[in-house]
Amino acid sequence: MECLDAYVLSPGPLIVTLLTLAFLVNQAWPLFSRQKKNYQLSDSKVINDDHNNLTVSKEPEVPGGWWSGRDVFELERRALFSKSWLYLAHRTQFSKPGAYQSFDIAGFPIFLIRGKDDKIRAFHNVCRHRAYTITRKETGTSTVLGCRYHGWSYDTTGRLVKAPQFDNIPEFDKSENSLFEIHAYTSNHGWVFVNLDAGEPPHFPKSTILALDEFVQASGLGSKSEWITGQTLAGSFNWKSGMSARYFADVTAQLEKLVSAETSPSMAAKFIQMITPKKSQAECPLFPGTFLYSFANAGLWLSLSFLPASEMTTQVRYDLISLCPMIDANKNALTTAVGGCIQDFVQYIEADFRYIAERPAERSPNTRHILHQLQEHAKLERKSGGQILPAMRQPKGSALFQQAEQLCKDIDCVAPGSGPGLTPGGLDW
Protein backbone atom coordinates (compact mmCIF):
# COMPACT_ATOMS: atom_id res chain seq x y z
CA MET A 1 0.00 0.00 0.00
CA GLU A 2 2.87 2.38 0.85
CA CYS A 3 4.49 1.50 -2.50
CA LEU A 4 1.26 2.38 -4.34
CA ASP A 5 0.91 5.71 -2.53
CA ALA A 6 4.47 6.56 -3.33
CA TYR A 7 3.89 5.83 -7.02
CA VAL A 8 0.76 8.00 -7.20
CA LEU A 9 2.39 10.96 -5.49
CA SER A 10 5.59 10.75 -7.54
CA PRO A 11 5.77 13.56 -10.19
CA GLY A 12 8.02 11.60 -12.57
CA PRO A 13 5.40 9.48 -14.44
CA LEU A 14 2.99 12.42 -14.56
CA ILE A 15 5.57 14.67 -16.27
CA VAL A 16 6.40 11.94 -18.80
CA THR A 17 2.70 11.52 -19.63
CA LEU A 18 2.18 15.27 -20.11
CA LEU A 19 5.21 15.56 -22.36
CA THR A 20 3.99 12.63 -24.48
CA LEU A 21 0.55 14.22 -24.92
CA ALA A 22 2.12 17.55 -25.86
CA PHE A 23 4.25 15.84 -28.52
CA LEU A 24 1.24 14.01 -30.03
CA VAL A 25 -0.85 17.21 -30.14
CA ASN A 26 1.99 19.09 -31.81
CA GLN A 27 2.28 16.36 -34.49
CA ALA A 28 -1.47 16.18 -35.16
CA TRP A 29 -2.12 19.95 -35.17
CA PRO A 30 -1.42 20.45 -38.94
CA LEU A 31 -4.20 17.95 -39.71
CA PHE A 32 -6.74 20.03 -37.80
CA SER A 33 -5.54 23.40 -39.03
CA ARG A 34 -5.37 22.40 -42.71
CA GLN A 35 -7.70 24.42 -44.90
CA LYS A 36 -10.87 22.86 -46.32
CA LYS A 37 -10.36 21.07 -49.64
CA ASN A 38 -11.57 22.82 -52.76
CA TYR A 39 -13.76 20.25 -54.54
CA GLN A 40 -13.85 21.04 -58.22
CA LEU A 41 -14.77 19.13 -61.36
CA SER A 42 -11.19 18.41 -62.30
CA ASP A 43 -8.85 15.46 -62.36
CA SER A 44 -5.78 17.68 -61.88
CA LYS A 45 -3.76 18.04 -58.68
CA VAL A 46 -4.08 21.01 -56.33
CA ILE A 47 -0.87 22.62 -55.02
CA ASN A 48 -1.12 24.99 -52.07
CA ASP A 49 1.93 27.19 -51.26
CA ASP A 50 1.66 28.38 -47.65
CA HIS A 51 5.00 29.92 -46.49
CA ASN A 52 6.93 27.58 -48.79
CA ASN A 53 5.13 24.54 -47.34
CA LEU A 54 3.88 22.69 -50.45
CA THR A 55 0.89 20.38 -50.01
CA VAL A 56 -0.24 18.20 -52.94
CA SER A 57 -3.70 16.61 -52.85
CA LYS A 58 -5.72 14.87 -55.58
CA GLU A 59 -9.28 16.10 -56.00
CA PRO A 60 -12.15 13.60 -55.82
CA GLU A 61 -13.19 11.72 -58.95
CA VAL A 62 -16.91 12.43 -58.46
CA PRO A 63 -17.87 15.81 -56.94
CA GLY A 64 -20.25 16.38 -54.09
CA GLY A 65 -23.81 17.03 -55.19
CA TRP A 66 -23.54 14.47 -58.00
CA TRP A 67 -27.11 13.30 -57.41
CA SER A 68 -28.85 16.46 -56.20
CA GLY A 69 -26.58 19.50 -56.51
CA ARG A 70 -27.90 22.50 -58.41
CA ASP A 71 -24.41 23.57 -59.45
CA VAL A 72 -23.72 20.13 -60.95
CA PHE A 73 -27.02 20.23 -62.84
CA GLU A 74 -26.31 23.70 -64.25
CA LEU A 75 -22.89 22.52 -65.41
CA GLU A 76 -24.56 19.49 -67.05
CA ARG A 77 -26.84 21.87 -68.94
CA ARG A 78 -23.84 23.76 -70.31
CA ALA A 79 -21.40 20.90 -70.79
CA LEU A 80 -23.67 18.02 -71.85
CA PHE A 81 -27.11 19.01 -73.02
CA SER A 82 -25.96 22.14 -74.86
CA LYS A 83 -23.24 20.38 -76.85
CA SER A 84 -23.96 16.64 -77.18
CA TRP A 85 -25.90 14.79 -79.87
CA LEU A 86 -29.11 13.73 -78.10
CA TYR A 87 -31.48 11.02 -79.30
CA LEU A 88 -35.11 12.18 -79.24
CA ALA A 89 -37.33 10.17 -81.56
CA HIS A 90 -37.72 7.83 -84.53
CA ARG A 91 -39.00 8.83 -87.93
CA THR A 92 -42.06 6.57 -87.58
CA GLN A 93 -43.40 8.96 -84.91
CA PHE A 94 -43.98 11.61 -87.61
CA SER A 95 -46.60 10.08 -89.90
CA LYS A 96 -47.21 13.08 -92.18
CA PRO A 97 -46.07 16.67 -92.86
CA GLY A 98 -46.80 18.93 -89.91
CA ALA A 99 -46.51 16.12 -87.35
CA TYR A 100 -44.56 17.45 -84.37
CA GLN A 101 -43.37 16.37 -80.93
CA SER A 102 -42.35 18.65 -78.07
CA PHE A 103 -39.62 18.06 -75.51
CA ASP A 104 -38.10 19.76 -72.49
CA ILE A 105 -34.41 18.95 -72.14
CA ALA A 106 -32.79 20.32 -69.01
CA GLY A 107 -34.89 23.48 -69.25
CA PHE A 108 -34.52 23.88 -73.03
CA PRO A 109 -38.01 23.70 -74.64
CA ILE A 110 -37.70 22.37 -78.19
CA PHE A 111 -39.79 20.53 -80.77
CA LEU A 112 -39.32 18.32 -83.82
CA ILE A 113 -41.53 18.70 -86.88
CA ARG A 114 -41.81 16.99 -90.23
CA GLY A 115 -41.82 19.44 -93.12
CA LYS A 116 -43.67 19.27 -96.41
CA ASP A 117 -40.38 18.09 -97.90
CA ASP A 118 -40.49 15.15 -95.42
CA LYS A 119 -37.40 16.44 -93.63
CA ILE A 120 -37.51 16.42 -89.82
CA ARG A 121 -36.28 19.69 -88.32
CA ALA A 122 -35.76 20.88 -84.75
CA PHE A 123 -36.48 24.31 -83.26
CA HIS A 124 -36.44 26.07 -79.93
CA ASN A 125 -40.05 26.08 -78.81
CA VAL A 126 -40.26 29.85 -78.29
CA CYS A 127 -41.72 32.64 -80.42
CA ARG A 128 -39.17 35.13 -81.69
CA HIS A 129 -41.31 38.07 -80.56
CA ARG A 130 -41.85 37.60 -76.82
CA ALA A 131 -40.59 34.02 -76.31
CA TYR A 132 -44.03 32.50 -75.84
CA THR A 133 -44.51 28.76 -76.43
CA ILE A 134 -45.25 27.72 -80.02
CA THR A 135 -46.35 24.08 -79.62
CA ARG A 136 -48.47 23.74 -76.50
CA LYS A 137 -49.17 20.00 -76.78
CA GLU A 138 -46.69 17.16 -76.51
CA THR A 139 -47.67 15.84 -79.94
CA GLY A 140 -49.86 17.11 -82.76
CA THR A 141 -50.08 17.93 -86.44
CA SER A 142 -50.13 21.39 -88.03
CA THR A 143 -48.39 22.86 -91.06
CA VAL A 144 -48.71 26.37 -89.57
CA LEU A 145 -47.64 26.93 -85.96
CA GLY A 146 -49.06 30.05 -84.33
CA CYS A 147 -48.10 31.90 -81.16
CA ARG A 148 -51.20 32.89 -79.18
CA TYR A 149 -49.48 35.80 -77.46
CA HIS A 150 -49.28 38.21 -80.42
CA GLY A 151 -50.34 35.97 -83.30
CA TRP A 152 -46.97 35.37 -84.98
CA SER A 153 -47.13 32.26 -87.19
CA TYR A 154 -44.44 29.98 -88.63
CA ASP A 155 -44.37 27.23 -91.25
CA THR A 156 -42.77 23.79 -90.92
CA THR A 157 -39.37 25.19 -91.90
CA GLY A 158 -39.50 27.73 -89.04
CA ARG A 159 -40.02 30.68 -91.39
CA LEU A 160 -42.10 33.57 -90.05
CA VAL A 161 -45.12 33.85 -92.33
CA LYS A 162 -47.40 36.17 -90.34
CA ALA A 163 -46.67 38.98 -87.89
CA PRO A 164 -49.80 41.06 -87.16
CA GLN A 165 -49.21 44.82 -86.73
CA PHE A 166 -45.58 44.48 -87.83
CA ASP A 167 -45.98 44.43 -91.61
CA ASN A 168 -45.82 48.22 -91.89
CA ILE A 169 -42.99 48.77 -89.41
CA PRO A 170 -39.93 50.19 -91.22
CA GLU A 171 -36.93 47.87 -91.44
CA PHE A 172 -38.87 44.91 -90.02
CA ASP A 173 -37.65 41.84 -91.92
CA LYS A 174 -39.56 38.57 -91.50
CA SER A 175 -36.57 36.58 -92.73
CA GLU A 176 -34.57 37.75 -89.71
CA ASN A 177 -37.21 36.54 -87.27
CA SER A 178 -37.58 32.86 -88.11
CA LEU A 179 -37.61 30.33 -85.28
CA PHE A 180 -34.22 29.44 -83.87
CA GLU A 181 -33.35 26.21 -85.65
CA ILE A 182 -31.45 23.44 -83.88
CA HIS A 183 -29.00 21.09 -85.55
CA ALA A 184 -30.82 17.83 -86.34
CA TYR A 185 -29.53 14.55 -87.73
CA THR A 186 -31.68 11.68 -89.00
CA SER A 187 -29.80 8.40 -89.46
CA ASN A 188 -30.30 6.08 -92.43
CA HIS A 189 -32.61 3.96 -90.30
CA GLY A 190 -34.74 6.82 -88.99
CA TRP A 191 -33.28 7.76 -85.61
CA VAL A 192 -33.50 11.50 -84.96
CA PHE A 193 -30.81 13.30 -82.94
CA VAL A 194 -30.39 16.99 -82.07
CA ASN A 195 -27.50 19.18 -80.94
CA LEU A 196 -28.34 22.50 -79.25
CA ASP A 197 -24.96 24.11 -79.86
CA ALA A 198 -25.60 27.53 -81.42
CA GLY A 199 -22.33 27.27 -83.34
CA GLU A 200 -21.20 24.48 -85.58
CA PRO A 201 -21.37 21.23 -83.58
CA PRO A 202 -18.92 18.38 -84.05
CA HIS A 203 -19.72 15.83 -86.73
CA PHE A 204 -22.14 13.11 -85.74
CA PRO A 205 -20.03 10.44 -84.00
CA LYS A 206 -18.99 7.50 -86.18
CA SER A 207 -19.04 5.29 -83.09
CA THR A 208 -22.76 5.98 -82.68
CA ILE A 209 -23.42 5.20 -86.35
CA LEU A 210 -21.60 1.88 -85.99
CA ALA A 211 -23.52 1.05 -82.80
CA LEU A 212 -26.83 1.79 -84.51
CA ASP A 213 -25.86 -0.31 -87.53
CA GLU A 214 -25.10 -3.25 -85.25
CA PHE A 215 -28.44 -2.78 -83.49
CA VAL A 216 -30.24 -2.74 -86.86
CA GLN A 217 -28.52 -5.94 -87.93
CA ALA A 218 -29.36 -7.71 -84.67
CA SER A 219 -32.96 -6.50 -84.46
CA GLY A 220 -33.92 -6.76 -88.15
CA LEU A 221 -35.15 -3.16 -88.34
CA GLY A 222 -36.59 -2.45 -91.80
CA SER A 223 -38.22 0.32 -93.77
CA LYS A 224 -41.83 -0.59 -92.85
CA SER A 225 -41.63 0.04 -89.13
CA GLU A 226 -44.73 1.25 -87.28
CA TRP A 227 -44.94 3.30 -84.10
CA ILE A 228 -47.15 1.45 -81.58
CA THR A 229 -47.19 3.48 -78.38
CA GLY A 230 -45.20 5.98 -76.36
CA GLN A 231 -45.49 8.40 -73.48
CA THR A 232 -43.53 10.86 -71.36
CA LEU A 233 -43.63 10.22 -67.62
CA ALA A 234 -42.36 12.44 -64.80
CA GLY A 235 -40.01 10.92 -62.25
CA SER A 236 -38.73 12.35 -58.96
CA PHE A 237 -35.09 11.35 -59.26
CA ASN A 238 -31.85 12.52 -60.81
CA TRP A 239 -31.60 11.56 -64.48
CA LYS A 240 -28.19 9.90 -64.07
CA SER A 241 -29.55 7.40 -61.56
CA GLY A 242 -31.98 6.05 -64.16
CA MET A 243 -29.13 4.86 -66.37
CA SER A 244 -28.18 2.05 -63.99
CA ALA A 245 -27.57 -1.26 -65.79
CA ARG A 246 -29.39 -3.23 -63.09
CA TYR A 247 -32.59 -1.32 -63.77
CA PHE A 248 -32.53 -2.24 -67.44
CA ALA A 249 -31.97 -5.90 -66.66
CA ASP A 250 -35.10 -5.91 -64.49
CA VAL A 251 -37.40 -3.95 -66.78
CA THR A 252 -36.38 -5.74 -70.00
CA ALA A 253 -36.97 -9.13 -68.36
CA GLN A 254 -40.48 -8.05 -67.39
CA LEU A 255 -41.16 -6.54 -70.81
CA GLU A 256 -40.03 -9.71 -72.57
CA LYS A 257 -42.66 -11.68 -70.65
CA LEU A 258 -45.37 -9.11 -71.37
CA VAL A 259 -44.56 -8.87 -75.08
CA SER A 260 -44.47 -12.64 -75.45
CA ALA A 261 -47.88 -12.95 -73.78
CA GLU A 262 -49.59 -10.08 -75.61
CA THR A 263 -48.40 -10.54 -79.21
CA SER A 264 -50.14 -12.88 -81.61
CA PRO A 265 -48.78 -12.15 -85.10
CA SER A 266 -51.01 -11.88 -88.11
CA MET A 267 -50.72 -14.54 -90.82
CA ALA A 268 -48.50 -12.25 -92.90
CA ALA A 269 -46.27 -11.53 -89.92
CA LYS A 270 -46.02 -15.23 -89.08
CA PHE A 271 -44.96 -16.00 -92.65
CA ILE A 272 -42.29 -13.26 -92.46
CA GLN A 273 -41.00 -14.70 -89.20
CA MET A 274 -40.81 -18.17 -90.74
CA ILE A 275 -38.67 -17.10 -93.72
CA THR A 276 -36.41 -14.68 -91.86
CA PRO A 277 -33.62 -15.63 -89.47
CA LYS A 278 -34.47 -15.69 -85.79
CA LYS A 279 -33.45 -12.52 -84.02
CA SER A 280 -31.99 -12.39 -80.55
CA GLN A 281 -32.26 -9.67 -77.96
CA ALA A 282 -30.20 -6.57 -78.76
CA GLU A 283 -29.22 -3.58 -76.67
CA CYS A 284 -27.76 -0.21 -77.65
CA PRO A 285 -27.01 2.49 -75.04
CA LEU A 286 -26.78 6.02 -76.46
CA PHE A 287 -24.92 8.70 -74.53
CA PRO A 288 -25.89 10.44 -72.37
CA GLY A 289 -29.30 9.06 -71.35
CA THR A 290 -30.97 6.72 -73.88
CA PHE A 291 -31.30 2.96 -74.11
CA LEU A 292 -32.52 0.98 -77.16
CA TYR A 293 -33.76 -2.58 -76.74
CA SER A 294 -34.90 -5.15 -79.30
CA PHE A 295 -37.17 -7.99 -78.17
CA ALA A 296 -36.30 -11.57 -79.06
CA ASN A 297 -38.26 -12.75 -82.13
CA ALA A 298 -41.15 -10.38 -81.38
CA GLY A 299 -40.54 -7.87 -84.16
CA LEU A 300 -40.49 -5.00 -81.64
CA TRP A 301 -37.95 -2.58 -80.25
CA LEU A 302 -38.14 0.01 -77.47
CA SER A 303 -36.43 3.32 -76.81
CA LEU A 304 -36.16 4.60 -73.25
CA SER A 305 -34.73 8.08 -72.59
CA PHE A 306 -34.01 9.99 -69.39
CA LEU A 307 -34.26 13.75 -70.01
CA PRO A 308 -33.57 15.96 -66.97
CA ALA A 309 -36.06 18.67 -66.03
CA SER A 310 -34.11 19.70 -62.90
CA GLU A 311 -31.53 18.20 -60.58
CA MET A 312 -34.25 16.13 -58.88
CA THR A 313 -36.86 15.57 -61.62
CA THR A 314 -36.61 13.61 -64.85
CA GLN A 315 -38.76 13.23 -67.95
CA VAL A 316 -38.84 9.52 -68.87
CA ARG A 317 -39.76 9.06 -72.53
CA TYR A 318 -40.46 5.62 -74.00
CA ASP A 319 -41.56 4.56 -77.49
CA LEU A 320 -42.43 1.08 -78.75
CA ILE A 321 -42.03 0.42 -82.46
CA SER A 322 -42.96 -2.65 -84.52
CA LEU A 323 -40.84 -3.93 -87.40
CA CYS A 324 -43.96 -4.83 -89.38
CA PRO A 325 -47.69 -3.93 -89.32
CA MET A 326 -49.70 -5.26 -86.38
CA ILE A 327 -53.37 -5.91 -85.80
CA ASP A 328 -55.21 -3.35 -83.64
CA ALA A 329 -55.94 -5.84 -80.86
CA ASN A 330 -52.23 -6.44 -80.37
CA LYS A 331 -51.51 -2.70 -80.43
CA ASN A 332 -54.07 -2.01 -77.70
CA ALA A 333 -52.84 -4.88 -75.55
CA LEU A 334 -49.22 -3.81 -75.90
CA THR A 335 -50.08 -0.17 -75.17
CA THR A 336 -51.69 -1.13 -71.85
CA ALA A 337 -49.12 -3.73 -70.82
CA VAL A 338 -45.98 -1.79 -71.73
CA GLY A 339 -47.34 1.49 -70.33
CA GLY A 340 -48.11 -0.14 -66.99
CA CYS A 341 -44.69 -1.78 -66.83
CA ILE A 342 -42.82 1.48 -67.54
CA GLN A 343 -44.90 3.33 -64.93
CA ASP A 344 -43.99 0.69 -62.34
CA PHE A 345 -40.38 1.00 -63.47
CA VAL A 346 -40.36 4.77 -62.85
CA GLN A 347 -41.94 4.33 -59.42
CA TYR A 348 -39.30 1.72 -58.55
CA ILE A 349 -36.48 4.12 -59.45
CA GLU A 350 -38.14 6.86 -57.37
CA ALA A 351 -38.34 4.57 -54.34
CA ASP A 352 -34.77 3.43 -54.78
CA PHE A 353 -33.33 6.89 -55.41
CA ARG A 354 -33.17 7.90 -51.74
CA TYR A 355 -30.74 5.02 -51.19
CA ILE A 356 -28.79 5.74 -54.37
CA ALA A 357 -28.34 9.38 -53.34
CA GLU A 358 -26.51 8.25 -50.21
CA ARG A 359 -24.06 6.05 -52.13
CA PRO A 360 -21.11 6.98 -54.35
CA ALA A 361 -21.76 7.01 -58.09
CA GLU A 362 -21.35 3.72 -59.91
CA ARG A 363 -18.01 3.40 -61.69
CA SER A 364 -19.74 2.72 -64.99
CA PRO A 365 -18.53 3.81 -68.46
CA ASN A 366 -21.48 6.22 -68.68
CA THR A 367 -20.57 7.89 -65.37
CA ARG A 368 -16.94 8.28 -66.41
CA HIS A 369 -17.99 9.69 -69.79
CA ILE A 370 -20.31 12.24 -68.16
CA LEU A 371 -17.66 13.25 -65.64
CA HIS A 372 -15.08 13.69 -68.40
CA GLN A 373 -17.40 16.00 -70.35
CA LEU A 374 -18.06 18.09 -67.25
CA GLN A 375 -14.38 18.33 -66.39
CA GLU A 376 -13.40 19.43 -69.90
CA HIS A 377 -16.08 22.14 -69.99
CA ALA A 378 -15.17 23.33 -66.49
CA LYS A 379 -11.56 23.75 -67.63
CA LEU A 380 -12.70 25.92 -70.55
CA GLU A 381 -14.77 28.08 -68.22
CA ARG A 382 -11.87 28.56 -65.82
CA LYS A 383 -9.69 29.70 -68.70
CA SER A 384 -12.34 32.11 -70.00
CA GLY A 385 -13.09 33.47 -66.55
CA GLY A 386 -16.85 32.84 -66.71
CA GLN A 387 -19.62 30.53 -67.80
CA ILE A 388 -19.74 29.29 -71.40
CA LEU A 389 -23.31 28.86 -72.75
CA PRO A 390 -23.07 26.93 -76.04
CA ALA A 391 -26.84 27.03 -76.67
CA MET A 392 -27.19 30.80 -76.27
CA ARG A 393 -28.71 32.57 -79.29
CA GLN A 394 -28.22 36.22 -80.15
CA PRO A 395 -31.31 37.92 -81.66
CA LYS A 396 -30.98 39.47 -85.09
CA GLY A 397 -32.80 42.39 -86.61
CA SER A 398 -32.31 46.05 -87.31
CA ALA A 399 -31.37 48.53 -84.60
CA LEU A 400 -34.76 50.23 -84.98
CA PHE A 401 -36.61 46.97 -84.46
CA GLN A 402 -34.49 46.12 -81.41
CA GLN A 403 -35.31 49.53 -79.94
CA ALA A 404 -39.01 48.89 -80.52
CA GLU A 405 -38.69 45.51 -78.80
CA GLN A 406 -37.00 47.07 -75.79
CA LEU A 407 -39.68 49.76 -75.57
CA CYS A 408 -42.33 47.05 -75.69
CA LYS A 409 -40.67 45.22 -72.82
CA ASP A 410 -40.27 48.40 -70.80
CA ILE A 411 -43.96 49.29 -70.92
CA ASP A 412 -44.93 45.60 -70.59
CA CYS A 413 -47.39 45.69 -73.46
CA VAL A 414 -49.96 42.89 -73.36
CA ALA A 415 -51.97 41.59 -76.32
CA PRO A 416 -55.78 41.46 -76.13
CA GLY A 417 -57.03 38.30 -74.55
CA SER A 418 -53.81 37.61 -72.71
CA GLY A 419 -53.12 38.04 -69.06
CA PRO A 420 -50.41 37.97 -66.42
CA GLY A 421 -50.42 34.20 -66.41
CA LEU A 422 -49.58 34.11 -70.11
CA THR A 423 -46.51 36.30 -69.95
CA PRO A 424 -43.50 34.03 -70.52
CA GLY A 425 -40.51 33.98 -68.22
CA GLY A 426 -37.01 35.01 -69.13
CA LEU A 427 -34.84 32.83 -71.30
CA ASP A 428 -31.52 31.57 -69.99
CA TRP A 429 -30.14 30.72 -73.42
Side-chain angles (χ1 to χ4, degrees), residues 156-232:
T156 57
T157 67
R159 183 173 61 93
L160 178 64
V161 294
K162 183 181 179 182
Q165 301 179 3
F166 280 83
D167 291 334
N168 297 324
I169 293 181
E171 299 186 41
F172 177 74
D173 188 351
K174 287 182 180 179
S175 65
E176 293 183 342
N177 289 277
S178 300
L179 292 176
F180 284 127
E181 187 167 2
I182 297 168
H183 303 289
Y185 173 84
T186 303
S187 72
N188 293 335
H189 301 286
W191 283 289
V192 183
F193 295 78
V194 299
N195 192 308
L196 277 70
D197 197 324
E200 284 299 323
H203 292 293
F204 192 79
K206 291 184 179 179
S207 59
T208 303
I209 295 176
L210 292 175
L212 291 173
D213 288 343
E214 292 178 2
F215 182 77
V216 168
Q217 185 176 5
S219 63
L221 182 65
S223 60
K224 296 184 179 180
S225 299
E226 179 184 17
W227 181 80
I228 302 300
T229 186
Q231 190 179 4
T232 301

Side-chain angles (χ1 to χ4, degrees), residues 303-373:
S303 67
L304 187 63
S305 297
F306 295 89
L307 305 174
S310 71
E311 64 271 25
M312 293 291 287
T313 56
T314 299
Q315 300 288 329
V316 182
R317 176 71 200 188
Y318 73 90
D319 291 287
L320 184 68
I321 295 176
S322 175
L323 306 184
C324 56
M326 298 183 65
I327 60 177
D328 290 340
N330 283 350
K331 292 181 184 178
N332 295 334
L334 281 172
T335 297
T336 301
V338 172
C341 184
I342 299 296
Q343 287 179 348
D344 292 341
F345 174 58
V346 172
Q347 292 175 0
Y348 174 72
I349 299 177
E350 288 179 327
D352 198 40
F353 178 67
R354 62 178 177 269
Y355 301 106
I356 294 175
E358 298 174 356
R359 299 197 301 262
E362 295 179 353
R363 296 300 189 267
S364 65
N366 199 61
T367 297
R368 289 192 290 271
H369 196 177
I370 291 172
L371 185 60
H372 175 73
Q373 296 275 97

Side-chain angles (χ1 to χ4, degrees), residues 37 44 53 92 119 134 136 164 197 199 210-211 216 260 293-294 304 319 328 331 377 382 387 401-402:
K37 290 182 179 179
S44 62
N53 181 22
T92 54
K119 180 179 179 180
I134 297 296
R136 293 166 296 279
D197 197 324
L210 292 175
V216 168
S260 177
Y293 182 82
S294 174
L304 187 63
D319 291 287
D328 290 340
K331 292 181 184 178
H377 190 82
R382 287 197 294 271
Q387 292 185 354
F401 177 67
Q402 294 299 329

Side-chain angles (χ1 to χ4, degrees), residues 40-41 63 66 69-83 370-371 373-379 381-382 387-388 390:
Q40 296 178 351
L41 281 167
W66 184 252
R70 184 68 187 183
D71 290 342
V72 173
F73 172 70
E74 291 296 336
L75 181 57
E76 290 170 351
R77 293 181 77 241
R78 304 191 303 272
L80 279 178
F81 298 100
S82 297
K83 330 175 18 175
I370 291 172
L371 185 60
Q373 296 275 97
L374 301 187
Q375 289 172 340
E376 292 302 308
H377 190 82
K379 290 178 183 178
E381 291 188 337
R382 287 197 294 271
Q387 292 185 354
I388 298 175

